[in-house]
Amino acid sequence: MAESRQSHVIISPHFDDGVFSCGGMAHQLRRAGHSVIIVTMMGGVREGAAPDTPILRDLLRRWQAGGDPLRHRQREDERAAQALGVEYSHIPLTDCVYRAVDGMALYPSEASLFGEVHAADFAPRLLRGIGVPQISQSITVYLPLAVGNHVDHQIVLDWGLSQIAENPGRWAVRFYAEYPYSNADKSTEIALDALGMALRPADFALGEVDMRAKLAAIACYESQISTFWQDLRDMEADVRRAFTDPQTGAYVEGLWQPAS
């Protein structure tokens, strides 16, 4: 457990990544009196017509999120934060499937979401001017490992690494594996290898009350359930399995910290 009155900033590429991956920890830290905020980097809404692409048509069909799907997803994230008792912040940059240059969608297909960051993508440049929220003098920042290689996760990880380089020693840093991308065989190991940084495990143990809060928060993302699970019961079973230590049977959320 962290010392009293510490601040914890969970950097989430999309509305759900931080909650899916670190929600139990966020709940436990908040119950212990710490300040916790989840910052969604691609947390904005879009004005004007969205790109008409195969991937976005498919996502909108799955989300069933009405006429303003990004605002719908913001509200889901707000409810999830409330379920965990934590604060939230939405950076006004849209998900990559909405980003376009001169009317041309940068990421029109599902395959494009998991390849290289498009050379014309303006997201890295826009994020460059955004810093980690300075909530207090004692901050731990949690960054995604880009497990699964989603372009937005790559961009956010690169942003986080640049923040560390520009502010050496300013914060304690932890890395988390993005669930449910972490379900894929060897996906976390691949991301750890690609990071090229010496890390050591810093797993966070959860109690049943934290797991229940995490499950309640995940259930707030109604638009996402059908993408990853058959229903809420299937979601609960998968989450409990994914965050159970096979050796001890205890609930844990996987974290890593710099080895030195």
Side-chain angles (χ1 to χ4, degrees):
M1 180 65 65
E3 296 178 3
S4 62
R5 294 186 298 277
Q6 282 196 342
S7 294
H8 299 264
V9 180
I10 300 171
I11 302 297
S12 182
H14 299 124
F15 294 115
D16 48 23
D17 295 306
V19 171
F20 281 14
S21 308
C22 304
M25 177 193 72
H27 178 258
Q28 185 179 137
L29 289 170
R30 189 67 193 95
R31 282 197 304 131
H34 306 303
S35 172
V36 181
I37 183 170
I38 301 176
V39 181
T40 302
M41 304 304 283
M42 279 67 177
V45 298
R46 180 182 174 86
E47 296 183 4
D52 183 17
T53 61
I55 183 59
L56 192 49
R57 288 196 297 271
D58 181 55
L59 287 173
L60 293 177
R61 176 187 58 79
R62 280 188 265 160
W63 292 352
Q64 293 295 299
D68 194 351
L70 289 177
R71 179 62 189 128
H72 180 94
R73 295 210 62 203
Q74 281 184 335
R75 288 193 292 265
E76 290 179 336
D77 195 59
E78 292 162 9
R79 290 194 294 271
Q82 291 167 2
L84 297 174
V86 304
E87 297 185 54
Y88 63 88
S89 176
H90 297 150
I91 303 301
L93 176 66
T94 58
D95 186 306
C96 69
V97 295
Y98 283 89
R99 297 202 291 274
V101 173
D102 295 330
M104 182 71 67
L106 299 180
Y107 303 98
S109 66
E110 184 167 9
S112 70
L113 304 185
F114 301 98
E116 294 185 1
V117 175
H118 196 290
D121 196 340
F122 46 85
R125 174 176 53 81
L126 292 181
L127 290 184
R128 204 169 297 140
I130 296 172
V132 172
Q134 300 302 303
I135 300 174
S136 74
Q137 294 299 313
S138 181
I139 302 178
T140 302
V141 178
Y142 301 82
L143 297 173
L145 279 168
V147 173
N149 210 44
H150 190 290
V151 292
D152 281 342
H153 293 233
Q154 294 179 54
I155 291 168
V156 171
L157 173 59
D158 287 344
W159 167 85
L161 294 176
S162 72
Q163 289 288 309
I164 294 171
E166 293 168 10
N167 301 274
R170 191 169 188 179
W171 320 290
V173 178
R174 303 289 183 270
F175 295 90
Y176 66 87
E178 298 96 306
Y179 171 80
Y181 293 123
S182 56
N183 275 343
D185 188 40
K186 302 294 184 182
S187 59
T188 299
E189 290 85 346
I190 291 170
L192 287 167
D193 288 343
L195 187 63
M197 181 185 297
L199 301 176
R200 59 184 175 88
D203 292 350
F204 198 97
L206 306 178
E208 175 63 24
V209 66
D210 305 310
M211 175 56 70
R212 289 182 180 177
K214 178 185 178 102
L215 291 167
I218 293 175
C220 293
Y221 298 100
E222 297 172 353
S223 67
Q224 303 303 296
I225 299 301
S226 64
T227 295
F228 300 112
W229 305 283
Q230 295 181 6
D231 51 30
L232 290 177
R233 181 177 297 181
D234 183 45
M235 178 272 287
E236 177 172 347
D238 189 58
V239 171
R240 288 184 180 275
R241 177 203 57 76
F243 292 96
T244 295
D245 186 319
Q247 295 183 341
T248 67
Y251 294 127
V252 296
E253 289 176 334
L255 297 172
W256 291 263
Q257 66 185 62
S260 58

